[in-house]
Amino acid sequence: MNAPVSIKTEAETGLAETFAAARPHLPGGPTVAAARAAAFAAFSASGLPHRRMEAWKYTDLRRLMRDAKPLAGAPDALALDQAGTAGALLAGLDVRRLVVVNGTFVPELSDLADLEPGLAIRAMADALAADNAVLNHGLGDLVPESEPALALNTALAGDGVVVTVAPGARIERPLHLAFIATGATATAMVTRSLVVIGAGATASLIETHEGPGGCDYQVNTALQLVLGDGGQLDHAKIIQEGGGALHLGTLLAHVGANAMFNAFAFTLGGLVVRNQMFVNLAGEGTQANISGASLLAGKQHGDTTLSIVHAAPGGQSREVFKAVVDESARAVFQGKISVQQAAQKTDARMMARALLLSPDAEADAKPELEIFADDVQCGHGATTGTLDEQLKFYLQARGIPPKEAEALLILAFVGEAMDGIAREGLRAALETATEAWLAARD
């Protein structure tokens, strides 16, 4: 049961003031303005999520979010210059870069030339200015209306990217949505993006989030994915926020019949991260492979929350999530598979594993199954433990130093989650980032 909290925190009061001040200037006509007002009213009714709300019991945002930062303005020349040097992780990949700096889509830093047939790209602000109700596109059957982080995003989102792929089109070059925070001033960036893949179309999407260290900026980002019947989409999200950042991310995916949806989430940076995914497998014969890895140290708090709904017969889903937790960091995994009555012949499996490298590290896992059909094969599980000392001794006995032996075991542990990444260049880049994280350990 979700208990209401009547006393407003400093952050909740600040958010109300921010919305009141920004409301007249946010893009959108009457339709969008009404959606924003309704969303903020829903947020105000519940306030920031807290531990008495079941979906947020491990991530008490009411406690973790101490204040509300002012909304970031349009990037200046210095910000654009700093953004131009970002993105080192994917430097070796041939991608079409679409850049959002401090919450604003920047065409001059984006690769918009020679678009493939069937591919269209525009700023979310332009779509909203045309009073296009894309803020609510396809959301009716994806998430509860009371989801507070998404409600806040709907109310305050100013820009992002809208990508459409025509039915039957094949987009060979991956699309890279690069969200970059710059500067030393603590601000808030609220973005909303929409990607629509037509029936029978194929595309790859890489989403990255990065920002400066030593600055407690805030990010609330949402990505809506609509995958048509028979389509295929590979999606990877990489969170490399600065060490003081708060990141609230929401993925909303609606997947059609006989479609293939592959997703990978990688959390590497940020002080407080909540990455939530709501995936509706709406069509018959749909397949989804969703995995992720989190590398957490210091006082980081990384929350991965996943909801998979099988709404039609013959669907298959596989979920594998790994967390490596060091020092006094905390990892959270909440995963729920819901099989509706019509979804007979569903085959679904979910597994979450956490590896604790310190006695002060913590991992919480809550996998769930909710089944209303009677002809299904479903399973879920979770484990938490430390490094296998026997395996470590085996490696050391063959001349491998202790620290290198640990690194090899951790790489193998994380590697299982990365096996589903089809693009070798991306997988290699993430493996390199994992090696760098391990090398930075004391």
Side-chain angles (χ1 to χ4, degrees):
M1 186 174 187
N2 296 338
V5 178
S6 58
I7 301 175
K8 298 295 184 182
T9 66
E10 180 180 345
E12 289 168 338
T13 301
L15 288 168
E17 293 172 351
T18 296
F19 179 67
R23 187 174 180 178
H25 311 291
L26 292 169
T31 302
V32 173
R36 293 188 188 279
F40 196 80
F43 169 77
S44 296
S46 63
L48 287 170
H50 48 84
R51 59 186 176 86
R52 281 177 283 174
M53 300 174 70
E54 183 63 26
W56 290 78
K57 65 181 295 185
Y58 300 111
T59 301
D60 188 347
L61 197 61
R62 189 176 169 87
R63 177 181 63 85
L64 293 169
M65 185 175 175
R66 299 185 181 278
D67 59 4
K69 308 300 182 187
L71 291 179
D76 56 19
L78 177 60
L80 296 179
D81 183 62
Q82 292 173 343
T85 61
L89 179 62
L90 303 182
L93 275 67
D94 179 22
V95 295
R96 182 178 295 279
R97 205 159 180 251
L98 308 174
V99 181
V100 177
V101 180
N102 296 341
T104 300
F105 179 58
V106 184
E108 57 266 36
L109 294 181
S110 301
D111 185 359
L112 301 177
D114 301 320
L115 296 182
E116 294 95 327
L119 176 62
I121 299 169
R122 62 173 170 164
M124 173 63 80
D126 293 340
L128 296 176
D131 208 29
N132 190 329
V134 293
L135 282 175
N136 291 325
H137 187 98
L139 298 191
D141 53 358
L142 288 182
V143 294
E145 293 182 0
S146 59
E147 211 303 303
L150 181 62
L152 198 57
N153 181 278
T154 301
L156 290 170
D159 206 355
V161 185
V162 178
V163 177
T164 57
V165 178
R170 296 183 62 86
I171 309 302
E172 300 292 344
R173 192 178 177 196
L175 303 171
H176 175 202
L177 271 62
F179 295 87
I180 302 168
T182 66
T185 303
T187 57
M189 285 141 279
V190 186
T191 60
R192 188 68 155 261
S193 296
L194 171 66
V195 176
V196 179
I197 310 298
T202 302
S204 295
L205 178 68
I206 303 172
E207 176 189 356
T208 62
H209 297 263
E210 58 185 299
C215 179
D216 59 340
Y217 64 92
Q218 298 172 351
V219 172
N220 186 328
T221 182
L223 174 63
Q224 299 163 237
L225 299 176
V226 181
L227 180 56
D229 295 349
Q232 178 172 337
L233 177 65
D234 297 331
H235 172 245
K237 179 178 180 180
I238 304 167
I239 302 172
Q240 282 188 295
E241 303 285 13
L246 182 150
H247 177 103
L248 302 177
T250 304
L251 170 68
L252 305 147
H254 185 281
V255 185
N258 299 307
M260 171 68 78
F261 177 55
N262 301 313
F264 181 80
F266 190 57
T267 300
L268 189 61
L271 180 61
V272 177
V273 175
R274 162 84 171 201
N275 191 40
Q276 54 185 13
M277 294 169 274
F278 302 91
V279 181
N280 183 22
L281 306 181
E284 185 172 355
T286 294
Q287 296 185 53
N289 298 293
I290 304 173
S291 58
S294 298
L295 306 178
L296 306 173
K299 296 183 179 180
Q300 286 182 277
H301 179 106
D303 179 339
T304 298
T305 295
L306 173 65
S307 173
I308 307 286
V309 176
H310 284 266
Q316 177 180 295
S317 67
R318 295 289 186 270
E319 295 83 42
V320 177
F321 284 83
K322 301 292 189 77
V324 180
V325 195
D326 200 0
E327 299 174 315
S328 57
R330 183 182 187 185
V332 174
F333 175 80
Q334 298 182 107
K336 181 177 181 179
I337 298 174
S338 179
V339 183
Q340 297 184 359
Q341 187 173 5
Q344 304 294 339
K345 306 293 184 182
T346 289
D347 182 358
R349 300 283 189 275
M350 176 186 291
M351 175 57 72
R353 291 191 171 99
L355 182 61
L356 304 182
L357 303 181
S358 162
D360 297 322
E362 180 179 346
D364 301 288
K366 190 180 74 170
E368 298 178 78
L369 284 176
E370 183 181 59
I371 302 174
F372 298 102
D374 53 16
D375 185 6
V376 302
Q377 297 183 47
C378 296
H380 70 296
T383 63
T384 300
T386 58
L387 279 173
D388 190 319
E389 291 300 325
Q390 288 187 340
L391 289 176
K392 183 179 175 182
F393 176 78
Y394 177 86
L395 294 175
Q396 288 181 247
R398 279 145 183 81
I400 300 175
K403 190 169 183 179
E404 292 183 23
E406 285 189 6
L408 287 172
L409 292 174
I410 294 170
L411 282 169
F413 175 79
V414 174
E416 183 184 357
M418 295 184 180
D419 285 344
I421 301 175
R423 197 164 294 273
E424 292 185 6
L426 176 59
R427 186 166 63 248
L430 297 182
E431 289 171 350
T432 299
T434 302
E435 292 170 357
W437 184 85
L438 292 170
R441 294 178 60 217
D442 293 333

